[in-house]
Amino acid sequence: EDQVTQSPEALRLQEGESSSLNCSYTVSGLRGLFWYRQDPGKGPEFLFTLYSAGEEKEKERLKATLTKKESFLHITAPKPEDSATYLCAVGGATNKLIFGTGTLLAVQP
Amino acid sequence: ETGVTQSPTHLIKTRGQQVTLRCSSQSGHNTVSWYQQALGQGPQFIFQYYREEENGRGNFPPRFSGLQFPNYSSELNVNALELDDSALYLCASKSGSSLGDEQFFGPGTRLTVL
């Protein structure tokens, strides 16, 4: 059964303190791993899609990487506006996205 | 370019009632998916429609049903509401049916079942 586990559940950082979020997955026939950002009371906002192990993508202070078992979302020198819940999802042979429960990130000034 | 919109924003129903939620896809998108997100959880896939046909379904009972119209807008219908149906219902649209295509979410409808 396809499964996604995200850690930590919550993370508190000081502004400028870099860190990484983890997404471990089990999927039959990976067709894509997705990262989303979700602000309170809003729908998820698309960040990245990764398709194969070794792939990396960057956007501003965020960098996503992928191995055969997990993905990391690296946040470099975060700012308070980076505070949000970060969701990871995988799509496999079942043709549906399976989401993790998310990491709640709080960046304090 | 108009993004994905959903209506209503909030809704309160009682157990046993029926509800219809609506979604307008982003311009040019022909695929829509619906998700249920309980508090503190990630979204759970309900089903997907591509060009008015259902082409994927998650582990939800038949009382969850949907429609996609020729203009690619969509409805989610839930019959015989249960307390556990209380959640944020999200609609997402994209321009292809492939799983790897980027999809865009609406703001959601918050459903409360009393």
Side-chain angles (χ1 to χ4, degrees):
Chain A
E1 183 177 330
D2 298 350
Q3 193 168 0
V4 175
T5 303
Q6 291 189 245
S7 62
E9 291 185 3
L11 180 63
R12 182 172 295 181
L13 299 174
Q14 292 295 317
E15 184 172 3
E17 179 187 1
S18 301
S19 188
S20 297
L21 313 183
N22 178 263
C23 172
S24 298
Y25 65 91
T26 305
V27 66
S28 300
L30 179 69
R31 294 169 65 181
L33 184 139
F34 306 82
W35 282 99
Y36 288 86
R37 168 194 170 127
Q38 187 173 26
D39 293 304
K42 296 188 177 181
E45 175 189 344
F46 173 81
L47 294 174
F48 304 108
T49 307
L50 302 169
Y51 295 102
S52 58
E55 189 175 359
E56 300 182 353
K57 288 192 177 175
E58 289 188 65
K59 178 180 179 180
E60 296 179 355
R61 294 177 294 281
L62 301 177
K63 178 180 178 180
T65 62
L66 181 65
T67 72
K68 290 186 178 180
K69 294 183 179 180
E70 57 190 351
S71 176
F72 291 94
L73 184 65
H74 306 278
I75 304 176
T76 302
K79 298 181 178 181
E81 53 262 42
D82 294 322
S83 297
T85 295
Y86 290 84
L87 295 165
C88 169
V90 294
T94 58
N95 200 33
K96 59 184 181 183
L97 282 188
I98 306 297
F99 279 83
T101 55
T103 293
L104 176 60
L105 174 66
V107 181
Q108 296 181 317
Chain B
E1 183 178 273
T2 305
V4 179
T5 59
Q6 294 186 241
S7 63
T9 305
H10 296 86
L11 200 54
I12 299 175
K13 292 284 188 178
T14 56
R15 194 170 47 183
Q17 285 189 312
Q18 178 267 342
V19 68
T20 297
L21 310 182
R22 295 179 174 82
C23 170
S24 290
S25 301
Q26 185 165 315
S27 177
H29 288 184
N30 54 18
T31 302
V32 65
S33 300
W34 284 90
Y35 295 82
Q36 179 194 67
Q37 186 175 24
L39 205 59
Q41 301 296 314
Q44 286 196 55
F45 175 74
I46 303 175
F47 43 58
Q48 176 174 285
Y49 280 82
Y50 171 63
R51 293 185 175 179
E52 303 177 59
E53 296 285 334
E54 183 181 300
N55 72 341
R57 189 175 182 93
N59 298 326
F60 281 81
R63 60 189 185 84
F64 286 79
S65 63
L67 282 173
Q68 187 182 31
F69 300 100
N71 66 355
Y72 303 130
S73 65
S74 176
E75 286 183 356
L76 165 65
N77 298 289
V78 187
N79 294 320
L81 284 167
E82 300 177 0
L83 298 179
D84 286 349
D85 295 334
S86 295
L88 181 68
Y89 287 85
L90 296 162
C91 163
S93 73
K94 59 186 179 181
S95 60
S97 64
S98 172
L99 191 63
D101 295 327
E102 177 181 340
Q103 62 180 355
F104 297 86
F105 282 84
T109 293
R110 172 72 63 185
L111 173 65
T112 302
V113 183
L114 302 176

